[in-house]
Amino acid sequence: MKFAVAALAGSAAAFMGPAQKVSMAPLKAATLEVAPATSEALQTAANEARGLAMDSIAAAESGHLGLPLGAAEMGAVLYGQSMNYNPDEPKWINRDRFVLSAGHGSMFLYSWLHLAGFDLSKDEVANFRQHHSMTPGHPEFPNSEHVTPGIEATTGPLGAGVSNCAGLAAASKMSAAIFNTDDHTIFDNHIFCIVGDGCLQEGVSAEAACFSAHEKLDNLIVLYDANDVTLDKMAEFTQSEDVGARYEAYGWDVITLLDGHDLKALYEATEEAKSNNNGKPTLIICKTEIGRGIDEVAGTNAAHGEAGVAYVDGARKALGLPEEKWFVSDDTYKFFADRKATLKAGYEAWEATYDAWKGANPDLAKTLQDGIDGVTPSVAELFAAIPESKGGDQATRVSGSEIINNIADAVPLYISGSADLHGSNKNYIKGGGDFGADFGKSYSGRNVYYGIREHAMGCILNGFAYYGLFRPSGATFLVFADYMRATVRIAALAELPVSYIWTHDSIGVGEDGPTHQPVETVTGLRAFPNLDVIRPADYEETAGAYVASIDKKDGPTALILSRQNLQEIVEVPASVRREGTLKGAYTLVEEKGDLECIIIATGSEVQHAYNAAKELGDGVRVVSMPCMERFDRQDAAYKESVLPAACRKRVAMEAGVTTMWYKYVGLDGKVIGVDRFGFSAPGDIVMEELGMTAKNCAAEVKAYMG
């Protein structure tokens, strides 16, 4: 074992026998002595954690044995020595966070949470992967479906968890910069993560690693379970790069442990990483044996999944475990009870500091408590903070540039950011400062520059939300939301209050051509459960959209904003348009006679429906529907008042694909849309040629009504 950036010769098969013993170069910090009794207790705990994983996966006949067995010593060191946490207060704001990025190895996490004293019973551990259990197949952040204390992130897609950690580490730095004072330090935590080859092969982890190094997130410590195995084959079949050299080139500290099962070496490496306040995140490469303990499959790709289940009885016996399944010794429980008492004493000392800080900083304390509790101003207060429109045509991205600053003034922990498009997205918080380490930036800055890294931006936004204090938003062009889809899905699943500001929303983008003109993207986003997709028609609806994004605390919101100017419909009171947006849809133009036809439109097409109605007689109603999802959540009486069932003559209009609109117009209704890609030309020409005009709307409605 040594500090180096050298690869271990040979494959994981080299670890089929006893772990290699080599000398370690001197640590920068003083070498840490570990009592033999502690090492023995931790090794026993590691083997018992292996037993819990084997028993649960065998009982479920489903799961992944390789990582829980191969990384058991990492768990012993993290939960038994290096991490600062309080199992009785799993949401303590200054806790160290641990994320299992290789989430398929979830039994690793459940075993250690149980042993460490979190409220996760042995029965729940044994109920692995079963309906309504607290131990689902992959770790899930506490939400309305699963509440498992100690889970810091939903880690399904590989690479997402370690990329979330960049956001968690950034949020930790931001918290310290905002709330720590010269007299009191209340934030000084670290972010720990375990990754596998799959996480590091996914490109998003590289994006996040670059961001982490550039912004000098030295509170981030990643342990790489380098077992030389992927699911299909040995890792050498699909990778040949020197991972350590790659991370050094990014700007990380890299520590290589040639025996990733050596408890003393793991402890020294993690403590070294914690003590290095040098502006560099740390990657600890731990050369391990996948499936360690089941000799028949250990060190091979067969160990990744369930192949070892057939051999668990013999493996348990070889590890010295009794026949009793889900066995944990009294000594292990006592070790972690003592550990818990030590951690609790540290927590109580922190509480004393926190109380003194609150007394000295009442305004900061209120801001912090509001962040912890998720408290934001009421809808009425937020609307009062946003001036009404002065009139005149305006792109909704320009409207948003004004409104986001009103929101930022009202919500102190609201942050913004962009994937290199602040000038186009127009989502900069004026006077908020820029987040980061260099170039005049500060960790208290509210504007995050992500670079051209949309996928990582989505993960980092989730990380900020997981941290539990901030209301993050991030921006790019709508067409690039496809780079973020995996992260949006997890935000919706984990019920994270993230806001996406996606501009340049349609074929109205114009000259950039079809590569930059989204026609299918909005409909694709509407397919996500628990994502509110809001496409406002003008300034006042944009105000409503921003307020809605703050009001929604159990999931993400997408704000879909235009590049081109849109008509401000000043004839309809601002309050009607704002409050109607909160409800998802509302009657913009009431029919003056018997209701004959309803035109439903959204975003930039509302102006066309509004103007077309002037030519269509007294029996036409115009409904603005900025958000299908919010409208669908309204009660039946409200929905009937907007879209009365008795009126079957319905036309919908949107500059995008038509499929989803038939749920509102019916199969006998008509949708004026764009079921093709656009073309390069000025935006108004593209819109006109593809039928997105008031003139065409009126003609189509007349033809439909006969």
Side-chain angles (χ1 to χ4, degrees), residues 392-396 398-399 402 538-539 562 564-568:
D393 295 353
Q394 191 176 74
T396 49
V398 175
S399 301
E402 302 170 24
D538 61 8
Y539 174 96
S562 74
Q564 74 276 21
N565 287 344
L566 307 183
Q567 175 184 346
E568 187 70 25

Side-chain angles (χ1 to χ4, degrees), residues 285-413:
I285 302 176
C286 306
K287 301 299 291 185
T288 60
E289 179 185 35
I290 191 171
R292 188 176 182 86
I294 303 180
D295 292 343
E296 291 83 353
V297 297
T300 73
N301 63 296
H304 177 86
E306 306 155 33
V309 166
Y311 311 105
V312 297
D313 288 341
R316 295 176 83 265
K317 185 176 180 179
L319 288 170
L321 299 174
E323 291 185 6
E324 175 191 343
K325 297 297 176 70
W326 293 284
F327 172 80
V328 179
S329 65
D330 291 341
D331 287 345
T332 293
Y333 279 136
K334 183 179 185 307
F335 176 87
F336 278 101
D338 292 343
R339 168 76 172 145
K340 184 175 178 179
T342 300
L343 291 167
K344 185 177 180 181
Y347 171 78
E348 289 170 350
W350 176 89
E351 273 195 315
T353 300
Y354 184 54
D355 288 341
W357 172 83
K358 286 193 293 185
N361 304 278
D363 292 341
L364 272 180
K366 183 182 185 308
T367 298
L368 177 56
Q369 193 61 51
D370 284 349
I372 294 169
D373 295 338
V375 173
T376 56
S378 68
V379 165
E381 290 170 326
L382 289 170
F383 277 144
I386 304 171
E388 291 189 8
S389 169
K390 299 181 179 67
D393 295 353
Q394 191 176 74
T396 49
R397 64 169 176 150
V398 175
S399 301
S401 71
E402 302 170 24
I403 295 164
I404 194 172
N405 282 279
N406 304 136
I407 292 291
D409 288 343
V411 184
L413 297 181

Side-chain angles (χ1 to χ4, degrees), residues 4 32 130 134 137 162 172 174 196 199 239 274 303 333 339-340 345 378 440 490 543 619 641 664:
L32 300 156
Q130 303 310 301
M134 295 170 65
V162 68
S172 176
M174 185 177 285
C199 294
Q239 68 183 38
K274 285 165 61 177
Y333 279 136
R339 168 76 172 145
K340 184 175 178 179
S378 68
I490 294 299
S641 73
Y664 299 109

